[in-house]
Amino acid sequence: MRDLFLSRAAVIFLAVEETFFLYVLVALVRALAGRRTVGLLLRPMPIVVSPRLRCRFRRMVLRAMKRCRTVRTLTIVPFNVFPAFSTIADDWIYDFQLWDVTEEEREAVEQLRRERRPGNRFVMTALGTQSRGKGFDLFSDAFARFSVLRKRFTFLACGKVSPDIAEYALVLEEAGGVAVNRALSHAELLGAYAASDAIWCFYPRAGDHASGILGRAVQLGIPVVVRQGSLAHRLCTVENLLHIAVAPEQIIERLTGPLPPQNIAWGRYAARRFAQRSEATLREAFGMAPEPAAKTADASQGASPAISPSRDPTTTTAAFQEPP
């Protein structure tokens, strides 16, 4: 606590929502001494849109704090994805999980891909904890009900299934899918990405929380399936990420249409671009000197792929090819 108030170096709060009053108190006290405080908003949506008294109060406080020169509140969602976030934050970075894959991890996935022996169906994978909020019930039910999906895809769920929807894991398995109802090791997670042609990321419409599953898929150039109209959908559209936008009533139409092909080079380029923008914003927030322009330009040129994905991956006109 003493260091929070007295440190001469900038102080960062990694989740403002969890320690809101402490963040405000520390930031204002440090501002009196001209010292910098940075806070990350991981879930800004409720603060911006909720009519609840607590959220309205936090909204008012954060708006007032934008006037303070030494306090910088940042979201992990770009303002052009949801412009109202600019009313409570000074700037934004990309979610860390959109630019954190190491070269070693990337090389491991690419090696596993080269060793993969594709079958006669695509692999659609749901990773992480499986819940209604992530659309696991729709994932399992659609696979069980529609034979056209079973002919085109193998549905694979890897991650602990919430007890309240455990029956959907049985539904998936009885229909011929695979449910690995346990936490995966890091190596198993990389293997699951390498084996997948698309990743299920069917988050709620207002799901503004960090998403490591979507972020790692993006970095590895794997298409993601997102809920139509969700914040994840907006992010994919704004950033030109490989995706298929699906509404529950359109799941057959969307998943039997063109599947964007994997694009490893574009995933690498996107991750580098996200990192450069985010690091520059953080350096500015901390009062640090910017990276040399020449270094930034060289890194950007080195990351740029020869071919970018379609401007609208949801409705790409690229020829669809079934797997061998």
Side-chain angles (χ1 to χ4, degrees):
M1 290 297 292
R2 181 186 64 188
D3 291 342
L4 284 178
F5 286 101
L6 301 180
S7 174
R8 293 183 178 275
V11 166
I12 182 169
F13 283 74
L14 294 177
V16 168
E17 300 91 334
E18 295 182 5
T19 55
F20 183 80
F21 290 104
L22 181 61
Y23 170 64
V24 172
L25 177 62
V26 169
L28 294 180
V29 171
R30 289 175 58 81
L32 296 175
R35 294 173 180 168
R36 290 180 178 267
T37 307
V38 180
L40 295 183
L41 281 168
L42 304 187
R43 303 202 66 165
M45 184 70 78
I47 297 177
V48 169
V49 303
S50 175
R52 296 176 59 185
L53 181 61
R54 183 178 70 170
C55 292
R56 290 165 55 191
F57 172 76
R58 292 186 173 190
R59 187 159 61 236
M60 178 186 66
V61 171
L62 290 173
R63 284 174 176 171
M65 289 177 65
K66 281 169 58 71
R67 304 171 187 170
C68 188
R69 181 176 55 84
T70 59
V71 180
R72 302 289 288 176
T73 303
L74 312 175
T75 70
I76 61 168
V77 179
F79 287 168
N80 56 353
V81 173
F82 201 83
F85 290 162
S86 64
T87 64
I88 62 170
D90 300 284
D91 210 334
W92 55 270
I93 63 171
Y94 289 100
D95 182 353
F96 293 107
Q97 296 172 117
L98 282 165
W99 47 282
D100 65 350
V101 170
T102 67
E103 280 304 309
E104 292 77 10
E105 291 169 331
R106 193 183 300 277
E107 290 172 4
V109 171
E110 292 178 6
Q111 176 63 34
L112 290 170
R113 280 175 175 163
R114 288 191 290 268
E115 297 173 356
R116 178 185 174 190
R117 297 180 181 177
N120 59 358
R121 291 181 293 176
F122 291 111
V123 176
M124 175 82 71
T125 307
L127 291 169
T129 302
Q130 303 303 320
S131 64
R132 291 185 188 276
K134 295 174 68 174
F136 181 66
D137 50 344
L138 177 63
F139 179 85
S140 301
D141 186 60
F143 186 72
R145 288 176 57 197
F146 301 110
S147 61
V148 65
L149 290 183
R150 295 194 298 275
K151 291 178 181 178
R152 191 180 190 195
F153 290 97
T154 294
F155 273 32
L156 172 64
C158 296
K160 194 68 175 175
V161 178
S162 296
D164 62 316
I165 58 169
E167 66 273 15
Y168 283 98
L170 297 176
V171 169
L172 179 64
E173 291 181 320
E174 289 174 357
V178 180
V180 182
N181 188 4
R182 61 175 174 81
L184 269 62
S185 68
H186 184 63
E188 288 174 323
L189 188 62
L190 294 180
Y193 277 116
S196 301
D197 297 292
I199 300 295
W200 182 265
C201 297
F202 206 77
Y203 305 122
R205 290 188 181 277
D208 61 337
H209 52 286
S211 170
I213 301 303
L214 181 148
R216 278 59 182 266
V218 165
Q219 293 180 74
L220 296 170
I222 306 173
V224 294
V225 177
V226 295
R227 184 190 296 268
Q228 188 167 341
S230 66
L231 213 60
H233 181 200
R234 295 187 190 187
L235 175 67
C236 289
T237 301
V238 167
E239 298 295 342
N240 194 26
L241 305 178
L242 297 169
H243 72 284
I244 304 172
V246 175
E249 64 276 9
Q250 297 176 324
I251 191 166
I252 294 299
E253 175 187 350
R254 292 297 190 183
L255 294 187
T256 55
L259 182 69
Q262 295 187 6
N263 192 324
I264 299 171
W266 184 254
R268 185 188 298 270
Y269 169 70
R272 183 68 61 87
R273 180 168 59 85
F274 297 157
Q276 289 176 350
R277 204 286 179 186
S278 301
E279 289 170 1
T281 301
L282 289 169
R283 293 181 73 89
E284 180 183 3
F286 293 145
M288 301 168 65
E291 287 280 353
K295 179 179 178 181
T296 303
D298 290 344
S300 179
Q301 291 173 4
S304 181
I307 302 175
S308 67
S310 164
R311 288 304 302 171
D312 185 3
T314 305
T315 57
T316 177
T317 56
F320 169 73
Q321 294 182 349
E322 292 288 349

